[in-house]
Amino acid sequence: MLTAKQIRTGFIDFFKSKGHEFIPSSPIVPIDDQTLLFANAGMNQFKDIFLGLTPPEYPRAANSQKCLRVSGKHNDLEEVGKDTYHHTFFEMLGNWSFGDYFKAEAIEWAWELLTDVWGIDPDRLWATVFKGSDKDGIPRDDQAAELWTKVTPISPDRVLDFGKKDNFWEMGETGPCGPCSEIHIDLGPDRCDMKDVPGHKCAVNAGCARFIELWNLVFIQYNRQPGNKLIPLSAKHVDTGAGLERVVAVLQKKTSNYDTDLFMPVIEATSRIAGREYTSKLANKTDNAFRVIADHIRALTFAVTDGAAPSNEGRGYVIRRILRRAARFGRELGMHEPFLYKLVPVVVDYLGDAFPEIAARAEHVSTVIESEETAFGRTLDRGIEIFAAAAEQAAKSSDAAVSGEDAFKLYDTYGFPLDLTQLMAQERGLKVDTEKFNELMAAQRQRARAAQKDNSLLAALADTELPVTEDLHKYHTDSCEGIIVGWIDKGGFSDTGRIRAGAEVGVVLDKTCFYAEAGGQVGDCGVIETGDARFVVEATTRIANCVVHRGKVTEGSFSPGQSVKARVGKDRNSIKKNHTATHLLQWALQQRLGSAVAQQGSFVGPEYLRFDFTYPKAPTADELRDVENLVREQILADLPVTWTVMPKDQAENLGAMALFGEKYGSEVRVVCLGAEDDSEIAGAFSREFCGGTHVDRLGAIGGFKIIREESISAGVRRITALTGTALNDYLEKASNIVDELSAMLKVPAEAVCERVGKLLQDNKKLAKDLKSAARSSGSDAMTQAGQLLDNCEKIGDARIITGQLLTASAEQAREAIDMLKKKAKSAVVVLAMAEGDDKATLLAGVTDDLIKKGLKAGDIVKEIAPIVEGGGGGRPQMAQAGGKNPAKIGDALARAAELVKAKLAGA
């Protein structure tokens, strides 16, 4: 039996033998694509090629792409574990042709691999083709239909026609698109899961598990323009995708993807940790938990490796949801302590060869997951408490249903999947208002879609070959001559006409000295001018190999072919200082803190630099001082900064550091600190892949100061620092503050810290004295409370304790209530305090035995608070209210006693 590793390698080797270049998977967190939360298809990293924005480096490519489908229309999260084939994380085996071969080869090679190489019975395979659409004016894919029976031995009766839903691929509402041809496999009658459905007949695309899609061949041959118009693409492409997990299950003759060697190592490890057995049954809730955990830990390992971190928004929120869902299912296996992080090494052990990045960052991933698991343990307990309150309300409602608002709050705030809320409700004989829940979910998705960046510019440029900008001048000068080639607006790229005053466009030059935003460094600002015309550049970006100067014409007008002068703004020097200082900072952190430090991201602007890095704990003050000193020593040494372009492999062999997850070509630019020229690169103390702008010598940075160090997520730290002019301004302000404190405290500057320390010490002593006085007051409160207990009413075993405390804080009153409940064993306590003529405080407490009889502290204060012209509430055990009429405290306490007596009499 072939292993998953052999199947993955066999796919890649097969297509390498057909002239394809192996391209490593892009990160699961997309690079420079704000339209996607996560990579969800193999074609994501080739998007610019399909859009015609950049030429392909190779005409043919193949790989196994890491994918995560947990949002939008590809959201399989809630289905995971319930069946044999839904997953969040999966690998997509794919082969691509960029304007090279087309349908015949794609069909022939897919068939050859499936039947001749992997030995699948040809009689079990079916093919589908696009049947055409009269509505869209798209003809049937006769070419693919004919090729199936021409280049493979498949019989015509097993080549089926289907519509757009199944057999037409589109990137979006506009852009590249084309018909698909899918290969399905018949797994046999015993695999049908719809036998009990009246009228069901097993067939391709009929909805049952007997027939499953194995491979999708997409033929990208059209460009959909605004107005739904389709035009043929100048270059036709092939984009195929076969889910590795499905292929492995078929070849290993397993009835479930989870029974293959892509999941069983994790399931077996989970079984050992939990002390429970996995039986591979769909109807078994325990087995469902095993499947969820196995799927989710794979997703978490790859996503966190590639830079995602749990948070409350965007992709971070999705990661948090996945982790919390897995942790909650762990409790079904009796695992109440963090356990997911223990499974990371298991995933690394069997997938680390194919994806070495997960091995390199395994420690960081484990740290992040363990920290989030620990935090969720506390949140989950609170969520269960919230559910209990919601269920009590539901039990009183006419439809006996937990409200959609409560279910959504549990989902959104506490990470409770809807199925968990429904399960807990079912155990209490309740339903859940799923209609309202779905309405709130739809509203949330709409907000998320609205928050995504507009991609209309790229859509407008589909199949447009943008001019290449020569931008090497950015490394040598702040101004240069250039010629306007055209401009970009929402209508696309234009190289005719004029742009007049007031126009906001993206100007394209044949050459420029402006740096386009990339690698954490902001794009340059400045001006483009000629004669009496002036264009203010507000941002510089890059689309493929085209540099776009975004801004506004403030004077005159411009036209294509016009010679202009491009001049970068004064911020350029500050940006260069901060970028070189960022390289110095990474070097110094690794020197002081060790190899655990790895860059997670950065921001390089004119005002400050920001550097994010992996590290399991907060660096100490001494460690940060050492880092600052190491950076300053190198600045004082005034060593040279050089750069060179070399093959990527050569740079890696020299030990040059690359930003994890960044996309690099076959040649890279390496920036070296401490080397005079190319011949001394090996001796440089810092070597990094970098396309940014830098100072020529380290001394030009001028100075360096860390102004903030903080945690931004589990296992990831952030340093903010200053150099140059911004540092001088910061130090001047700090000096002014010291001078003011010196004058205020009437001590010399060098004695300020000592004097402030003495003041803090005196303040601490004063606070201690005040606390002692408060304790004395609290003792009085306890004495008063004891007297109330001695003189209280009693009904059966229950005591009704009400009264006003003359000298007590709210905190002391709560302590008094706890004391009274403990002493009385069975009691309702209502205490009140007055502060001046306009403030009243009411507190209520109820023992657990009386809560079961329907007495709740929250209900009591809600009833009596209006008497003192206020409001409040709380839990059944303890509640508080405030009001502005203390004169009515006596009436409120009397009403409380009446309520309690009535309830106890009814009980």
Side-chain angles (χ1 to χ4, degrees):
M1 184 177 72
L2 291 173
T3 64
K5 182 178 179 180
Q6 290 170 326
I7 293 166
R8 183 193 300 109
T9 302
F11 179 91
I12 293 166
D13 288 346
F14 175 83
F15 281 102
K16 283 168 75 173
S17 74
K18 305 294 185 184
H20 292 63
E21 184 74 20
F22 168 67
I23 307 295
S25 170
S26 64
I28 227 168
V29 177
I31 301 166
D32 298 331
D33 188 347
Q34 297 300 320
T35 66
L36 280 176
L37 283 179
F38 301 100
N40 59 16
M43 59 74 61
N44 291 156
Q45 68 170 308
F46 305 118
K47 193 169 168 180
D48 284 355
I49 297 174
F50 294 139
L51 286 167
L53 300 176
T54 187
E57 203 168 337
Y58 311 99
R60 302 178 181 186
N63 81 350
S64 183
Q65 172 65 43
K66 303 175 288 188
C67 297
L68 194 62
R69 290 186 177 176
V70 285
S71 58
K73 65 179 182 179
H74 298 301
N75 187 353
D76 294 337
L77 183 60
E78 299 300 337
E79 300 304 315
V80 169
K82 296 177 182 178
D83 56 30
T84 63
Y85 54 87
H86 273 105
H87 306 295
T88 54
F89 171 83
F90 63 96
E91 293 180 55
M92 184 67 85
L93 301 171
N95 59 288
W96 292 269
S97 164
F98 307 118
D100 186 25
Y101 64 83
F102 202 42
K103 297 179 185 179
E105 295 88 343
I107 291 171
E108 182 180 1
W109 291 339
W111 186 270
E112 180 185 347
L113 179 59
L114 291 174
T115 60
D116 295 351
V117 179
W118 283 339
I120 295 176
D121 181 358
D123 292 335
R124 297 170 61 197
L125 298 178
W126 295 69
T128 67
V129 296
F130 179 53
K131 71 177 182 181
S133 169
D134 293 336
K135 178 183 174 183
D136 293 296
I138 314 171
R140 177 179 184 265
D141 193 356
D142 292 328
Q143 184 184 15
E146 291 168 9
L147 284 167
W148 270 111
T149 55
K150 180 179 178 182
V151 301
T152 80
I154 195 170
S155 63
D157 61 329
R158 283 192 286 118
V159 180
L160 310 176
D161 287 4
F162 287 94
K164 279 184 68 176
K165 178 179 176 291
D166 297 301
N167 281 79
F168 197 86
W169 176 87
E170 297 175 277
M171 184 178 287
E173 291 183 7
T174 60
C177 56
C180 326
S181 198
E182 295 180 340
I183 303 172
H184 293 250
I185 186 168
D186 181 357
L187 299 175
D190 58 321
R191 294 292 292 276
C192 176
D193 55 357
M194 298 178 68
K195 293 175 182 176
D196 297 332
V197 178
H200 172 72
K201 184 178 179 181
C202 293
V204 172
N205 288 333
C208 76
R210 173 178 171 178
F211 289 87
I212 63 167
E213 176 198 331
L214 208 54
W215 204 337
N216 188 14
L217 315 179
V218 179
F219 308 124
I220 304 173
Q221 62 188 83
Y222 300 113
N223 179 33
R224 187 181 296 282
Q225 296 184 326
N228 210 31
K229 183 181 179 182
L230 282 181
I231 61 170
L233 284 170
S234 55
K236 295 177 172 59
H237 311 296
V238 171
D239 165 21
T240 87
L244 176 65
E245 289 75 11
R246 286 190 179 187
V247 172
V248 171
V250 168
L251 296 182
Q252 292 185 355
K253 296 181 171 56
K254 303 293 185 182
T255 58
S256 167
N257 295 357
Y258 291 97
D259 293 345
T260 70
D261 58 350
L262 285 171
F263 293 92
M264 283 308 296
V266 176
I267 289 175
E268 289 165 356
T270 306
S271 176
R272 289 192 295 271
I273 295 170
R276 302 284 186 92
E277 184 183 355
Y278 177 67
T279 62
S280 189
K281 294 177 181 175
L282 288 180
N284 187 314
K285 290 182 180 178
T286 299
D287 285 355
N288 184 32
F290 276 109
R291 287 187 287 269
V292 169
I293 291 165
D295 173 274
H296 288 9
I297 191 58
R298 285 166 29 109
L300 292 167
T301 300
F302 280 91
V304 176
T305 291
D306 284 355
S311 69
N312 288 327
E313 57 185 27
R315 60 175 60 99
Y317 175 74
V318 175
I319 296 306
R320 175 162 283 167
R321 285 275 298 110
I322 294 173
L323 192 149
R324 289 182 170 189
R325 191 169 188 267
R328 198 274 301 169
F329 273 97
R331 292 191 170 211
E332 291 193 8
L333 298 178
M335 296 184 287
H336 293 265
E337 297 300 320
F339 69 95
L340 288 168
Y341 75 98
K342 297 176 183 177
L343 298 173
V344 173
V346 181
V347 177
V348 170
D349 186 55
Y350 75 93
L351 289 175
D353 285 345
F355 304 100
E357 62 271 21
I358 64 173
R361 294 167 70 84
E363 184 179 351
H364 166 66
V365 173
S366 295
T367 299
V368 170
I369 291 176
E370 183 181 12
S371 175
E372 183 69 13
E373 278 189 276
T374 302
F376 181 52
R378 297 188 292 267
T379 304
L380 187 61
D381 292 334
R382 175 65 178 143
I384 290 171
E385 192 177 310
I386 296 294
F387 173 81
E392 280 188 36
Q393 280 299 121
K396 298 175 186 175
S397 66
S398 59
D399 58 356
V402 175
S403 73
E405 289 85 354
D406 284 332
F408 183 74
K409 180 181 179 182
L410 285 164
Y411 172 90
D412 197 44
T413 306
Y414 298 100
F416 276 45
L418 179 61
D419 60 354
L420 171 60
T421 304
Q422 288 174 311
L423 179 63
M424 292 169 67
Q426 188 179 0
E427 289 170 353
R428 295 180 179 228
L430 302 170
K431 297 177 293 184
V432 177
D433 182 357
T434 54
E435 187 176 334
K436 183 62 177 178
F437 175 87
N438 291 331
E439 181 185 317
L440 293 168
M441 279 295 294
Q444 184 191 65
R445 291 191 185 108
Q446 183 58 41
R447 288 193 297 273
R449 281 193 291 269
Q452 285 189 345
K453 291 189 178 178
D454 179 24
N455 197 41
S456 58
L457 183 61
L458 281 181
L461 294 172
D463 205 32
T464 300
E465 189 172 338
L466 291 174
V468 174
T469 309
E470 193 272 282
D471 66 343
L472 287 177
H473 299 282
K474 65 191 177 190
Y475 298 126
H476 309 293
T477 181
D478 293 345
S479 64
C480 72
E481 304 287 337
I483 295 172
I484 292 182
V485 179
W487 57 85
I488 298 171
D489 57 21
K490 287 188 177 179
F493 177 75
S494 177
D495 57 5
T496 59
R498 297 187 73 81
I499 42 173
R500 304 183 185 280
E504 295 184 11
V505 298
V507 169
V508 179
L509 306 178
D510 67 331
K511 57 187 174 184
T512 185
C513 55
F514 279 67
Y515 178 85
E517 180 179 353
Q521 180 176 328
V522 299
D524 283 329
C525 298
V527 295
I528 296 172
E529 51 194 356
T530 181
D532 58 355
R534 180 181 175 88
F535 180 84
V536 176
V537 181
E538 297 165 350
T540 306
T541 57
R542 178 185 292 274
I543 300 176
N545 295 315
C546 178
V547 175
V548 183
H549 308 79
R550 298 185 182 227
K552 185 175 183 178
V553 180
T554 58
E555 298 174 34
S557 63
F558 295 88
S559 59
Q562 197 169 9
S563 295
V564 294
K565 179 138 187 179
R567 191 169 68 252
V568 177
K570 59 182 177 58
D571 286 340
R572 162 67 70 86
N573 284 335
S574 296
I575 293 171
K576 287 163 69 173
K577 291 175 182 179
N578 281 337
H579 201 153
T580 308
T582 303
H583 285 222
L584 272 177
L585 174 58
Q586 177 165 222
W587 166 81
L589 284 166
Q590 291 177 338
Q591 292 292 304
R592 184 63 182 85
L593 303 181
S595 59
V597 171
Q599 183 176 351
Q600 279 290 101
S602 65
F603 172 82
V604 177
E607 294 87 12
Y608 63 93
L609 67 93
R610 193 175 66 216
F611 185 74
D612 300 341
F613 61 99
T614 56
Y615 199 63
K617 59 184 179 181
T620 65
D622 285 344
E623 287 171 333
L624 290 175
R625 269 193 294 272
D626 289 346
V627 168
E628 282 184 323
N629 289 332
L630 283 168
V631 172
R632 289 169 185 160
E633 285 170 9
Q634 296 297 348
I635 292 172
L636 286 172
D638 194 27
L639 296 171
V641 178
T642 57
W643 61 270
T644 187
V645 175
M646 63 176 66
K648 181 184 173 188
D649 292 346
Q650 183 183 343
E652 289 172 337
N653 290 336
L654 283 169
M657 288 187 294
L659 174 59
F660 181 80
E662 190 62 77
K663 191 172 2 178
Y664 298 101
S666 56
E667 288 199 329
V668 294
R669 181 174 183 261
V670 179
V671 172
C672 306
L673 309 185
E676 288 287 353
D677 52 42
D678 291 3
S679 64
E680 296 184 8
I681 287 175
F685 70 86
S686 168
R687 296 176 295 277
E688 289 192 40
F689 290 26
C690 182
T693 56
H694 291 269
V695 297
D696 295 326
R697 300 191 72 86
L698 296 178
I701 297 171
F704 178 84
K705 173 69 179 171
I706 294 174
I707 61 168
R708 189 181 303 112
E709 193 283 329
E710 60 193 320
S711 169
I712 58 170
S713 65
V716 181
R717 313 295 303 179
R718 169 173 289 172
I719 282 177
T720 305
L722 302 175
T723 70
T725 304
L727 175 57
N728 291 338
D729 292 344
Y730 173 85
L731 294 176
E732 187 175 345
K733 286 178 185 175
S735 177
N736 290 338
I737 291 170
V738 173
D739 290 344
E740 288 178 27
L741 285 171
S742 179
M744 193 184 301
L745 299 171
K746 296 183 172 56
V747 295
E750 59 271 19
V752 165
C753 288
E754 184 182 348
R755 179 68 178 127
V756 170
K758 180 68 168 62
L759 287 172
L760 290 172
Q761 212 169 25
D762 292 345
N763 187 61
K764 190 175 181 181
K765 183 178 182 303
L766 181 61
K768 189 175 180 183
D769 292 342
L770 288 170
K771 195 171 183 180
S772 178
R775 271 199 301 270
S776 175
S777 170
S779 177
D780 290 344
M782 289 296 184
T783 300
Q784 294 175 65
Q787 292 169 352
L788 292 173
L789 174 61
D790 292 339
N791 299 302
C792 72
E793 279 190 74
K794 191 174 181 183
I795 296 179
D797 293 330
R799 295 176 185 267
I800 306 170
I801 307 168
T802 64
Q804 182 173 350
L805 302 181
L806 300 178
T807 55
S809 66
E811 180 59 36
Q812 289 164 350
R814 276 191 287 272
E815 290 174 2
I817 288 175
D818 287 340
M819 180 271 290
L820 290 170
K821 286 164 63 179
K822 191 172 182 181
K823 280 192 174 184
K825 301 286 192 282
S826 176
V828 175
V829 186
V830 183
L831 301 179
M833 293 86 68
E835 189 176 328
D837 296 329
D838 59 356
K839 185 177 180 182
T841 302
L842 303 171
L843 290 103
V846 182
T847 53
D848 290 341
D849 65 313
L850 297 184
I851 290 173
K852 292 176 183 176
K853 294 183 178 182
L855 280 163
K856 297 174 188 174
D859 293 345
I860 294 170
V861 297
K862 282 178 185 174
E863 178 73 24
I864 66 175
I867 297 173
V868 293
E869 298 177 29
R875 295 179 293 117
Q877 293 85 356
M878 180 77 76
Q880 181 174 336
K884 53 188 178 183
N885 190 354
K888 294 285 187 178
I889 281 177
D891 294 344
L893 293 174
R895 177 61 181 149
E898 289 174 13
L899 288 170
V900 175
K901 289 176 190 175
K903 196 76 174 177
L904 289 175

